[in-house]
Amino acid sequence: MEIKHTALAGTLESSDVQITLSEGKGISIDLDSQVEKQFGKQIKKVVTDLLAKYEISDVKVHVVDKGALDCTIKARLIAAIQRATDTQNEQNWGVLE
Amino acid sequence: MDTIKIDLNDPYYYQQWQKLIEEEGLYIENLDDITETIGIYDEDKLIATGSYFNNVLKYLAIDPKYQGGNVFNKLVSYLISDLASQNIFHVFVFTKTQYQSSFEYLGFKMVAQSRFSTLLETGDYSIDQYISELPKVSGNNISAIVMNANPFTLGHRYLVEEASKKSDVVYVFVVSQNASLFKTSERIELVKAGTKDLNNVVVVAGGDYMVSFVTFPSYFIKSRSDVVTYQTELDAQVFKRIAEALNITKRFVGEEPYSPTTEIYNQSLKKILIPEIVLEVLERKAVGGDIISATKVRQAISEDNLEVIRKYVPETTFDFIKTNLKDLLRRINNGN
């Protein structure tokens, strides 16, 4: 899928994550997190795995993590992807396990 | 706690807002420079507020009893989401240097910093991206001019020509400001048209980074006599960051003997840019003892006086004005 325009999902409140997707070449992930040392790799893996499921290969991802659990990161990323690809009304159940 | 939009035209909200803003040591500038204001309430007490104007966050204030917790995050998050719902994703904030890390903690990145303040940004665009999109040139002697060119006059032409003679390459940055009589895109086109014959001149848009420093919000500057120094020093720091990335070693400015603000600006530039970048002040071009200025051109446009306009501008600008005179007069009459 192709990123059509910038989109944002999530908040900056504790235990949440704010994700901004915008057009880019290849996948680049800019991660701001207080737990980057411990969980940076895991957060990036959650993001790249989900992007792969949506077959998104060109995107700039800005993740501001406030201690979100993986399920929260996934939920916010799905919302951002749907907004950025104008597919809010087409649920892609296949990406959820 | 509830977060709601508040209407500052309503005296009930305005009084609560004003009280919180002033208790936090902020200075209320012009209310016209606020697009939207939000408030966070604990029961019916306003405990935090923040506003924005276009894509700039402003007037962030939190009751001391609620500082250091989640309220700041909630406030900034709400403002960013509200802007995102209007498809505005690239967001700036000007703040006291002491709050820089609080914003960095929320994903903001520093654009520039001076002794009075820090400018930060977040979202889908950045100063590094702006720099990477500018045309790159090579040469030992690369210079820059920053101009509003509202519109491009023979005075601007003289400045560019002098710089062109003294440099391998000259970048001309055209300041973004849609409040000008001539739109940003028109001003850029006129600068390009008027310098087309100079092969070593590169005309570029100032984008979000070369803006008029008078638009820098100063509600957090306690000593009001410091405002212009704060604005000009921060502007100089932003320029310096871009200039260094482009290997610019000199900036040319036109002398402005009658404007105290410009005098402060030139002083700030000199102070901030040295030693990496040299500031060279060129005298103003005059025709028959009459100094050329864009203000005089705009005055002549409002008087529908093409003969006076012809004296001050190159043919390219003249042709544009002549063709669009009706439209320009209409803009003037509409208060632009």
Side-chain angles (χ1 to χ4, degrees):
Chain A
M1 256 198 287
E2 203 185 313
I3 300 295
K4 294 189 174 146
H5 50 79
T6 302
L8 177 143
T11 77
L12 299 167
E13 295 184 52
S14 190
S15 305
D16 201 350
V17 60
Q18 185 200 65
I19 299 180
T20 310
L21 301 180
S22 51
E23 291 165 66
K25 271 232 146 85
I27 294 176
S28 60
I29 302 173
D30 176 9
L31 171 65
D32 286 299
S33 174
Q34 271 67 59
V35 292
E36 189 170 354
K37 259 192 193 145
Q38 299 90 326
F39 299 108
K41 251 189 174 166
Q42 172 60 19
I43 294 169
K44 284 183 181 168
K45 188 177 178 314
V46 171
V47 172
T48 43
D49 286 357
L50 199 53
L51 288 174
K53 280 190 183 163
Y54 275 94
E55 295 177 349
I56 294 171
S57 48
D58 292 304
V59 63
K60 232 169 62 184
V61 188
H62 186 198
V63 181
V64 186
D65 170 53
K66 291 285 141 214
L69 298 171
D70 285 4
C71 54
T72 309
I73 299 171
K74 274 189 197 168
R76 295 308 196 186
L77 184 56
I78 289 172
I81 290 172
Q82 290 185 332
R83 288 172 188 164
T85 55
D86 291 329
T87 55
Q88 287 96 319
N89 301 320
E90 305 156 32
Q91 292 303 333
N92 183 350
W93 300 111
V95 300
L96 302 170
E97 314 149 20
Chain B
M1 270 187 255
D2 290 322
T3 308
I4 58 163
K5 288 196 176 175
I6 58 178
D7 178 6
L8 295 180
N9 293 316
D10 182 335
Y12 170 77
Y13 289 114
Y14 182 78
Q15 276 169 17
Q16 300 175 331
W17 179 79
Q18 184 190 28
K19 186 165 171 283
L20 182 57
I21 290 288
E22 288 177 352
E23 274 170 6
E24 284 310 290
L26 302 177
Y27 177 90
I28 299 171
E29 297 183 293
N30 192 347
L31 289 188
D32 293 340
D33 289 346
I34 297 179
T35 314
E36 199 77 69
T37 299
I38 63 154
I40 301 180
Y41 283 83
D42 189 359
E43 308 278 322
D44 43 8
K45 185 178 160 58
L46 179 69
I47 57 146
T49 181
S51 303
Y52 57 79
F53 180 64
N54 298 333
N55 65 340
V56 179
L57 304 188
K58 284 181 159 186
Y59 296 106
L60 282 89
I62 301 173
D63 184 309
K65 283 195 256 17
Y66 296 85
Q67 287 175 10
N70 200 26
V71 175
F72 177 72
N73 298 19
K74 206 185 176 79
L75 188 63
V76 176
S77 187
Y78 192 97
L79 290 166
I80 289 177
S81 299
D82 198 46
L83 284 163
S85 71
Q86 301 163 41
N87 287 318
I88 298 172
F89 297 99
H90 181 214
V91 178
F92 288 101
V93 66
F94 297 75
T95 181
K96 288 180 199 166
T97 307
Q98 68 196 87
Y99 298 129
Q100 180 178 337
S101 58
S102 308
F103 283 99
E104 283 172 343
Y105 190 72
L106 297 183
F108 282 75
K109 298 195 170 59
M110 187 187 74
V111 175
Q113 188 186 41
S114 78
R115 62 193 158 127
F116 295 100
S117 72
T118 303
L119 169 61
L120 301 108
E121 65 182 342
T122 189
D124 62 349
Y125 198 75
S126 68
I127 189 166
D128 289 329
Q129 197 174 336
Y130 170 73
I131 290 169
S132 75
E133 287 164 5
L134 291 173
K136 301 294 176 304
V137 298
S138 53
N140 297 321
N141 191 353
I142 302 173
S143 66
I145 303 174
V146 179
M147 59 174 66
N148 197 359
N150 183 33
F152 186 76
T153 65
L154 288 170
H156 296 112
R157 166 73 198 192
Y158 170 76
L159 199 61
V160 178
E161 226 175 84
E162 286 302 301
S164 161
K165 278 185 222 159
K166 295 176 177 180
S167 325
D168 294 334
V169 186
V170 186
Y171 280 101
V172 177
F173 293 93
V174 183
V175 168
S176 303
Q177 196 187 41
N178 275 321
S180 305
L181 172 59
F182 291 81
K183 292 175 195 150
T184 303
S185 56
E186 293 166 348
R187 289 184 287 108
I188 293 171
E189 284 317 308
L190 291 178
V191 178
K192 280 186 178 162
T195 57
K196 215 174 165 185
D197 56 311
L198 302 170
N199 293 326
N200 64 342
V201 172
V202 185
V203 180
V204 295
D208 277 334
Y209 301 96
M210 301 273 188
V211 296
S212 173
F213 62 82
V214 294
T215 64
F216 288 4
S218 62
Y219 56 87
F220 54 88
I221 302 293
K222 236 187 190 141
S223 164
R224 302 309 290 169
S225 58
D226 284 338
V227 168
V228 178
T229 314
Y230 139 69
Q231 289 172 324
T232 52
E233 285 192 9
L234 188 63
D235 177 277
Q237 293 288 5
V238 176
F239 172 78
K240 190 175 189 178
R241 174 152 177 194
I242 294 165
E244 288 190 332
L246 298 171
N247 298 317
I248 289 166
T249 51
K250 190 180 249 185
R251 174 159 167 182
F252 290 94
V253 293
E255 190 186 28
E256 197 79 53
Y258 307 114
S259 163
T261 308
T262 308
E263 185 50 35
I264 296 174
Y265 185 45
N266 287 352
Q267 278 172 14
S268 293
L269 275 177
K270 210 176 263 175
K271 187 172 141 198
I272 303 290
L273 300 187
I274 277 169
E276 291 88 352
I277 301 162
V278 179
L279 188 73
E280 187 167 333
V281 184
L282 293 172
E283 63 173 47
R284 290 286 292 270
K285 179 84 173 165
V287 278
D290 180 15
I291 287 187
I292 300 167
S293 82
T295 313
K296 288 178 185 169
V297 175
R298 294 196 301 276
Q299 180 65 32
I301 292 171
S302 72
E303 290 160 2
D304 201 353
N305 191 340
L306 282 171
E307 283 326 295
V308 171
I309 297 168
R310 195 192 288 278
K311 268 195 341 194
Y312 297 129
V313 300
E315 228 179 284
T316 43
T317 303
F318 185 77
D319 289 344
F320 179 87
I321 294 174
K322 203 175 156 194
T323 315
N324 297 283
L325 195 56
K326 269 200 186 125
D327 187 31
L328 292 166
L329 281 166
R330 190 178 47 75
R331 286 185 208 170
I332 291 172
N333 291 329
N334 289 344
N336 273 328

